[in-house]
C-alpha cells in the first residue's frame, strides 16, 4: 500500500504541473485568437481551458482516493498529508468558483495549486523512505 500511496501522491503533483501548463496554454491561445480577430465571449473555449477544467476534476477524485489509501498504509504522517492535500483541493475548487466573480482572487487559486503540488510531492517523498524499525529500551 505504501507504493500505491507514493504513486498517487506523485500523480497528484504531476497533474498539478500539467494544470499550470494547461492554463498557460489557455492564456496564450486566447491572446493569439484575439490577435487573429476571434471574438472572445461567453461561448469561447480552447483546449487549454477544457483540459484545465476536466483535469481539475480528476485531481479532486485522485485526492479523495489518496486520502482513503492513506488509512491503509504505514507512511508516517501519511493521513495528515493526504488530508491536507484533499483540503487544499477543496479550497482550490472554491477559489475557482469565487475567482470568476472576483478575478483578483485567481492569484490565490494559482498559489494554492502550487501548495497542492508541494504537499503531494512531500507526501510522495515521505512514502519513499524506509520505515525505521521500532527499538525498545
Amino acid at each position: 500500500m505504501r507504493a500505491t500511496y507514493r504513486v498517487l501522491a506523485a500523480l497528484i503533483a504531476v497533474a498539478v504541473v500539467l494544470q499550470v501548463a494547461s492554463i498557460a496554454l489557455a492564456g496564450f491561445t486566447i491572446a493569439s485568437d484575439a490577435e487573429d480577430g476571434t471574438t472572445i465571449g461567453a461561448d469561447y473555449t480552447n483546449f487549454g481551458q477544457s483540459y484545465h477544467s476536466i483535469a481539475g476534476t480528476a485531481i479532486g477524485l485522485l485526492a479523495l482516493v489518496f486520502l482513503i489509501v492513506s488509512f491503509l498504509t504505514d507512511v508516517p504522517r501519511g493521513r495528515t498529508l493526504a488530508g491536507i492535500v484533499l483540503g487544499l483541493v477543496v479550497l482550490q475548487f472554491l477559489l475557482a468558483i469565487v475567482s470568476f466573480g472576483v478575478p483578483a482572487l485567481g492569484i490565490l487559486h494559482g498559489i494554492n495549486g502550487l501548495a497542492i503540488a508541494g504537499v503531494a510531492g512531500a507526501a510522495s517523498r515521505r512514502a519513499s523512505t524506509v520505515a525505521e524499525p521500532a527499538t525498545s529500551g
Side-chain angles (χ1 to χ4, degrees):
M1 249 331 135
R2 184 178 273 260
T4 302
Y5 179 97
R6 181 178 47 79
V7 168
L8 282 169
L11 277 173
I12 292 168
V14 169
V16 171
V17 170
L18 293 175
Q19 285 291 85
V20 171
S22 70
I23 206 61
L25 173 63
F28 286 112
T29 302
I30 290 168
S32 176
D33 287 351
E35 191 173 295
D36 291 343
T38 302
T39 301
I40 309 297
D43 60 342
Y44 173 85
T45 191
N46 64 49
F47 175 76
Q49 289 172 302
S50 298
Y51 177 89
H52 191 80
S53 178
I54 294 166
T57 302
I59 290 170
L61 293 173
L62 279 174
L64 184 58
V65 171
F66 182 49
L67 180 64
I68 292 167
V69 167
S70 75
F71 284 93
L72 306 173
T73 187
D74 63 345
V75 175
R77 295 189 59 219
R79 287 183 289 279
T80 300
L81 290 169
I84 291 169
V85 167
L86 183 60
L88 289 171
V89 168
V90 169
L91 177 60
Q92 190 73 342
F93 280 110
L94 295 173
L95 286 169
I97 292 165
V98 172
S99 294
F100 283 107
V102 184
L105 289 179
I107 293 168
L108 296 177
H109 180 76
I111 292 169
N112 189 63
L114 297 176
I116 294 168
V119 174
S124 180
R125 286 188 302 279
R126 184 170 287 268
S128 296
T129 60
V130 178
E132 295 290 325
T135 58
S136 60

